[in-house]
Amino acid sequence: MSANSAFAKLDALGKRLEAIEHAQSMLGVDEAVMMPTGGGEKRAEAMGTLAGMYHEMATSPEVGDWLGDAEAEPLDAMQARAVAEFRRVYTNMTCLSSEFVSRQVNVRIRSEQLWRQLRPTGDWKAFLPAFEGVVEILREEAALRADVLGLTPYDALMEQYDPGNRAADIEPVFADLKRFLKGFIPEAIARQTEKLARRPLKPFNAPFPIERQKALGLAMMEAVGFDFDHGRLDVSHHPFCGGVPTDVRMTTRYVEAEFISSLMGILHETGHGLYEQGLPKEWSHWPVGKARGMTIHESQSLFVEKQIARSAEFWEWAMPHVRTHLGDGALAGWDLEDVLAQVHLIEPGLIRVDADEATYPLHVILRFELEQDLVGGKLAPRDVPEAWDAKMREYLGLSTIDNMKDGPMQDVHWPSGAIGYFPSYTLGAITAAQLWATIERENPNARDDMRHGRFTGLNDWRRDHIWSEASQYPTPELMVRATGEKLNARHFQDHLQRRYLGA
């Protein structure tokens, strides 16, 4: 390909954009992990300047010209997919005018700041005007995007988080899962109650020194395949995975009273990190070489946390390592069943982020249904508390009508305007289960491999079928290519029945 070709110009632009992305990411990580509080104002200025530079470069009219010219050039199959994904990203970035984006950012920042102030007291009445402003401008955004993208308004918003997923395809999957969970959860809780009556949960042999917990986490990360030449683990208030594929930054938080929540958090973020480290390096500066949306990213973190790290086979292997790193007394008097009782505990509650894997999907389905009605105008912002409470009562038997803090004010997503994001969480869990079912079908020894601490095969399969594919294909097509079928909630249901009912 000529150095003067349109493809070569896009390639050079991609490298400049990647450099800015790298700087933005590292500044963000440093802000969460290391930055003193007094650095916030200048850090915000620096990150705002970089964001402006990035947007100006990425949305320049000449980029559109280059894309049109590149599409007419002789390209191989991979180059054609690279240009097509660049086109998709460019179209999505240029849907909205600078005037609209400026107005939208102002509305969202004011709303999120007010939410942070009012959430501790759950003052819905004081928050409502700001939320109404967010919903109003969100509906405007959805209409603008829908017009350009040829999608329904809600699908146009969801496209920003999960390219290719559509509400019409997700609704039957969620409906099937909701029907299943309404029967499964009571049955699983009844089985759990019987077990705990015979064998109550054992108290943790605390305290667990933080340095020992960190050593355990690092050992588990290394065992499941994390490359420490291209990443590290730190501490922050809220665990996350950031950085760039060649320098993945992960964080966790520790409590000395127990070690499982920190370890599960570390392994969850490790799943994200493995995905980033497994992306194709030669395409890292092109959109096609980046992670394929939130569903796939979440599926990789949940694959490690749920399919691997909460399995009986994993703990058969892990318990000796826990004793090595935390001390012989850490699990004194505990056996495998005691650990599994902790990591498999089902406990319906009001808070999504604290939910177990069986009840969590109902929290997401509730939000998915309500935000579609909000975007479509069927639900007014002022009526959200009643609608939320009705669904909580129906799905989980709990009420939030007098508790806005733990009801519709519990998440930052809606106050900040992130509507269309929530489905990714449960779609990720379903995807993880479907990937596991495919792996186990192709390798019947997969569970025995985990029992002996052999994770290379699991990583090799995901590298071949998910990681190396990056953003070559829309999410639904990637799933069909990897598993041979569309997204199917049956695999997640089978996973839950096997784990909690022994079925």
Side-chain angles (χ1 to χ4, degrees), residues 98-401:
S98 297
E99 179 277 329
F100 177 85
V101 170
S102 176
R103 187 159 47 92
Q104 181 187 57
V105 168
N106 184 50
V107 168
R108 288 179 172 181
I109 289 177
R110 289 169 64 87
S111 172
E112 184 176 340
Q113 288 175 344
L114 187 63
W115 171 80
R116 293 188 187 281
Q117 176 187 334
L118 297 176
R119 195 226 162 188
T121 59
D123 191 343
W124 176 261
K125 185 177 180 180
F127 174 62
L128 180 57
F131 183 50
E132 288 176 330
V134 167
V135 172
E136 181 181 0
I137 204 162
L138 193 81
R139 289 171 177 169
E140 189 177 346
E141 177 192 353
L144 290 169
R145 290 192 181 281
D147 184 57
V148 173
L149 301 176
L151 299 172
T152 66
Y154 185 75
D155 283 348
L157 295 177
M158 197 162 56
E159 177 75 7
Q160 308 313 303
Y161 307 104
D162 255 321
N165 274 343
R166 303 290 179 255
D169 298 321
I170 294 170
E171 283 167 353
V173 174
F174 277 5
D176 182 32
L177 180 58
K178 185 166 60 175
R179 283 192 298 270
F180 166 80
L181 290 174
K182 283 183 179 180
F184 168 80
I185 290 172
E187 185 178 359
I189 290 176
R191 181 76 61 89
Q192 175 179 275
T193 301
E194 293 174 5
K195 287 183 177 180
L196 293 179
R198 297 192 304 267
R199 187 179 185 133
L201 288 174
K202 286 187 177 176
F204 286 95
N205 300 319
F208 301 101
I210 288 174
E211 284 304 311
R212 284 180 173 265
Q213 289 193 58
K214 181 178 180 180
L216 172 64
L218 293 173
M220 295 292 102
M221 289 170 67
E222 184 175 18
V224 300
F226 188 79
D227 177 5
F228 282 101
D229 287 336
H230 293 96
R232 57 178 286 128
L233 176 69
D234 290 295
V235 175
S236 68
H237 290 299
H238 300 286
F240 67 87
C241 177
V244 295
T246 54
D247 188 1
V248 174
R249 303 301 182 94
M250 291 169 31
T251 69
T252 190
R253 57 188 173 194
Y254 302 97
V255 293
E256 292 193 334
E258 55 92 12
F259 68 92
I260 288 178
S261 63
S262 172
L263 181 58
M264 292 298 103
I266 287 172
L267 289 167
H268 178 97
E269 301 304 335
T270 299
H272 284 303
L274 289 172
Y275 183 23
E276 289 290 328
Q277 290 182 342
L279 293 170
K281 294 177 176 56
E282 65 273 24
W283 291 99
S284 66
H285 57 294
W286 282 76
V288 77
K290 301 185 189 306
R292 172 77 296 168
M294 295 310 302
T295 286
I296 297 299
H297 229 310
E298 198 64 21
S299 78
Q300 297 311 290
S301 61
L302 291 173
F303 187 95
V304 175
E305 182 199 349
K306 305 295 188 183
Q307 302 298 320
I308 294 177
R310 292 185 186 269
S311 71
E313 294 81 7
F314 174 86
W315 280 99
E316 285 183 51
W317 166 78
M319 286 181 71
H321 295 277
V322 172
R323 292 189 175 97
T324 296
H325 290 283
L326 298 185
D328 290 337
L331 293 178
W334 285 48
D335 61 20
L336 180 62
E337 291 304 313
D338 295 315
V339 174
L340 295 180
Q342 289 284 350
V343 301
H344 293 169
L345 189 66
I346 297 177
E347 200 167 20
L350 299 176
I351 306 299
R352 174 187 61 85
V353 295
D354 294 336
D356 54 82
E357 66 176 332
T359 60
Y360 190 102
L362 294 175
H363 289 271
V364 169
I365 292 170
L366 175 154
R367 289 157 173 80
F368 172 66
E369 293 170 347
L370 291 184
E371 63 184 24
Q372 285 186 85
D373 289 344
L374 276 171
V375 173
K378 296 179 182 177
L379 178 64
R382 66 177 179 274
D383 297 327
V384 164
E386 290 75 17
W388 186 290
D389 180 69
K391 289 185 182 292
M392 281 296 291
R393 287 175 182 271
E394 179 187 355
Y395 298 168
L396 290 166
L398 302 170
S399 177
T400 58
I401 198 62

Side-chain angles (χ1 to χ4, degrees), residues 28-62:
V29 170
D30 178 80
E31 181 179 10
V33 176
M34 298 285 290
M35 189 188 76
T37 54
E41 184 176 347
K42 284 297 181 181
R43 180 60 53 86
E45 288 181 18
M47 294 183 74
T49 298
L50 287 173
M53 291 169 57
Y54 185 96
H55 190 268
E56 183 178 350
M57 291 169 59
T59 61
S60 169
E62 66 181 356

Side-chain angles (χ1 to χ4, degrees), residues 36 142 261 295 409 413 464:
S261 63
T295 286
M409 289 182 73
H413 301 62
D464 291 344

Side-chain angles (χ1 to χ4, degrees), residues 433-500:
Q434 190 163 326
L435 295 177
W436 174 263
T438 305
I439 290 172
E440 196 166 22
R441 185 173 66 246
E442 296 181 6
N443 176 18
N445 296 319
R447 290 185 182 275
D448 195 54
D449 285 343
M450 284 199 299
R451 186 176 286 116
H452 293 91
R454 298 192 294 260
F455 304 103
T456 301
L458 298 178
N459 289 345
D460 287 347
W461 190 94
R462 288 182 297 144
R463 184 179 293 105
D464 291 344
H465 294 84
I466 301 294
W467 304 345
S468 65
E469 299 284 32
S471 285
Q472 294 187 58
Y473 309 102
T475 304
E477 184 178 348
L478 179 61
M479 276 301 294
V480 172
R481 294 175 65 89
T483 69
E485 63 176 320
K486 293 181 179 179
L487 191 67
N488 186 344
R490 176 179 59 82
H491 299 292
F492 182 61
Q493 295 167 19
D494 290 347
H495 159 72
L496 293 178
Q497 288 182 313
R498 176 172 183 165
R499 175 164 289 176
Y500 297 96

